[in-house]
Amino acid sequence: LAKVEKEICRMKRQGDTPPEVYKCQLRKERSGLSKQQNTCDLTDGMIKFIAGIGQLSKVEKQFFLKWMKYSLDHIARTNLSKLRAEYKELFNHLRDDPTQLAELDTRISESSLGLEHFMRELGQFYEADRK
């Protein structure tokens, strides 16, 4: 959904398609993705996140969000440092096998989970529910 919305603004892959036709196609795709997302249930993590934040006072919410951010950042730093060390070792020993490096690179990019991911997903569900 975010990729389609970016493309609506940037229109980099328009090619020979007229701008208004291309924008219309992207809007239809965005609408379809929103409907598809609206049929999905919230993940277990999101349900816990909403339950955790929904019953707190303003000060407690701020504390909860800061605590969650620090905790997730700590976990991500620990995981990333291990994966980067593994990547460095593989790079020094297996320069001829790029598939293992690519796989590890993918794991590195997917290992980060922060508060912004929860907020973005929550916002997407809100937007899909509004439409």
Side-chain angles (χ1 to χ4, degrees):
L1 189 60
K3 289 180 183 179
V4 173
E5 288 176 347
K6 275 186 191 176
E7 185 59 23
I8 289 173
C9 294
R10 297 180 183 167
M11 298 189 51
K12 288 185 176 181
R13 292 184 223 118
Q14 178 182 347
D16 294 335
T17 310
E20 288 305 314
V21 172
Y22 186 64
K23 253 188 184 173
C24 185
Q25 291 170 347
L26 290 173
R27 286 184 183 132
K28 285 180 184 175
E29 186 178 350
R30 179 179 62 186
S31 176
L33 288 171
S34 292
K35 287 177 184 175
Q36 180 183 358
Q37 188 176 29
N38 205 11
T39 62
C40 296
D41 292 331
L42 289 171
T43 62
D44 188 45
M46 285 305 297
I47 291 170
K48 289 179 182 177
F49 177 75
I50 293 168
I53 202 166
Q55 300 179 12
L56 302 175
S57 70
K58 182 179 178 181
V59 172
E60 290 173 325
K61 283 179 189 176
Q62 290 175 335
F63 178 77
F64 174 77
L65 292 173
K66 286 226 184 241
W67 170 83
M68 186 173 175
K69 179 184 181 329
Y70 290 134
S71 296
L72 290 171
D73 287 349
H74 175 72
I75 292 167
R77 272 194 305 275
T78 303
N79 290 340
L80 281 174
S81 63
K82 289 177 187 175
L83 289 171
R84 285 185 180 138
E86 191 178 332
Y87 186 89
K88 198 182 246 185
E89 188 176 320
L90 272 176
F91 182 77
N92 290 332
H93 296 292
L94 300 173
R95 290 183 185 209
D96 298 334
D97 188 12
T99 56
Q100 283 185 326
L101 288 175
E103 180 184 315
L104 194 54
D105 193 42
T106 302
R107 285 179 39 211
I108 287 172
S109 65
E110 292 174 350
S111 70
S112 161
L113 175 66
L115 181 61
E116 62 276 4
H117 296 97
F118 283 89
M119 299 305 281
R120 186 181 315 116
E121 188 172 343
L122 188 60
Q124 286 179 345
F125 273 104
Y126 174 77
E127 284 293 320
D129 195 42
R130 274 187 3 164
K131 293 178 182 178

